[in-house]
Amino acid sequence: MPITVCSKHSKKSLVEVYQELGGYDNNPVWEIRSKAMTDFIKLINEIFKKTQIWGLTSHDRLVLLTEDNWESNWYVIINNIGNNEYYFEYLIPEKKSPWRNGMVQGVAQSLEEAKKYLLIAMNESEGWKGNMELENLLKDY
C-alpha cells in the first residue's frame, strides 16, 4: 500500500513534495536530496504491500506515522543531505525510554542499507507492533 500523506499536511503526494524540492533554487544538492528521498519513498511502496503508513515532511525530513494525524507520534524520521547517506531517527517506546520522547539515531550508507534501517526503526519504535508484513520482512535481516 503506498505511503499516504497526512490529509491535513498537503494535497500533494510525498513524491510530488520531494520532486518540487529538487527544483529549488537550481541547486544540485537539492536535486540529489530530492532523488534520494523519492527513491526511498518508492522503496517503502515496493516493500509494504498491505501496511498503511502515513507520512508528512518537516523541514524536508520524511516523518512516518501510524495514523492520519500530524500530531500523533512521529515514530520514524528519515533525511538525506545530498549524498548517498540516509539519516534515521526513531522514537524509543515510552516504557524503554530514559526520558519523554527519547530517540535513537543512525546513518545508512546506501538505499539498500536504508531498507534494513527502516525495518529496524519501524520495529523498534513499536509503532507497527504486531504487523505481520513487517515481521515477515524482518526475517530477511
Side-chain angles (χ1 to χ4, degrees), residues 2-139:
I3 184 172
T4 307
V5 68
C6 282
S7 57
K8 292 198 175 175
H9 179 65
S10 177
K11 300 287 184 216
K12 300 173 186 168
S13 74
L14 291 166
V15 169
E16 289 171 324
V17 170
Y18 281 108
Q19 286 174 338
E20 282 184 9
L21 283 174
Y24 180 72
D25 201 25
N26 292 322
N27 184 325
V29 173
W30 282 105
E31 290 177 28
I32 294 167
R33 294 174 84 177
S34 170
K35 180 173 179 354
M37 293 306 292
T38 301
D39 289 347
F40 187 78
I41 291 167
K42 289 176 183 175
L43 173 77
I44 292 173
N45 292 339
E46 287 172 10
I47 64 175
F48 285 101
K49 303 293 186 198
K50 299 176 184 174
T51 302
Q52 175 65 68
I53 300 172
W54 295 94
L56 57 88
T57 57
S58 174
H59 303 285
D60 72 298
R61 300 173 306 157
L62 176 62
V63 179
L64 304 183
L65 314 161
T66 59
E67 58 184 300
D68 185 13
N69 179 359
W70 68 272
E71 294 177 305
S72 66
N73 284 334
W74 290 20
Y75 286 104
V76 180
I77 302 170
I78 306 100
N79 195 12
N80 178 281
I81 61 167
N83 55 19
N84 292 326
E85 298 174 337
Y86 291 87
Y87 296 81
F88 279 81
E89 295 178 48
Y90 71 79
L91 183 65
I92 301 171
E94 189 175 334
K95 65 184 176 286
K96 296 178 183 177
S97 183
W99 51 76
R100 189 170 166 260
N101 295 320
M103 303 288 281
V104 172
Q105 296 180 329
V107 181
Q109 302 295 316
S110 66
L111 184 60
E112 185 58 33
E113 190 173 37
K115 176 181 176 181
K116 177 181 175 183
Y117 281 35
L118 170 67
L119 299 175
I120 292 168
M122 289 175 68
N123 185 60
E124 293 298 318
S125 71
E126 297 183 3
W128 292 265
K129 191 171 185 167
N131 181 294
M132 291 306 298
E133 187 172 34
L134 176 59
E135 289 179 19
N136 287 333
L137 289 165
L138 280 164
K139 289 178 184 175

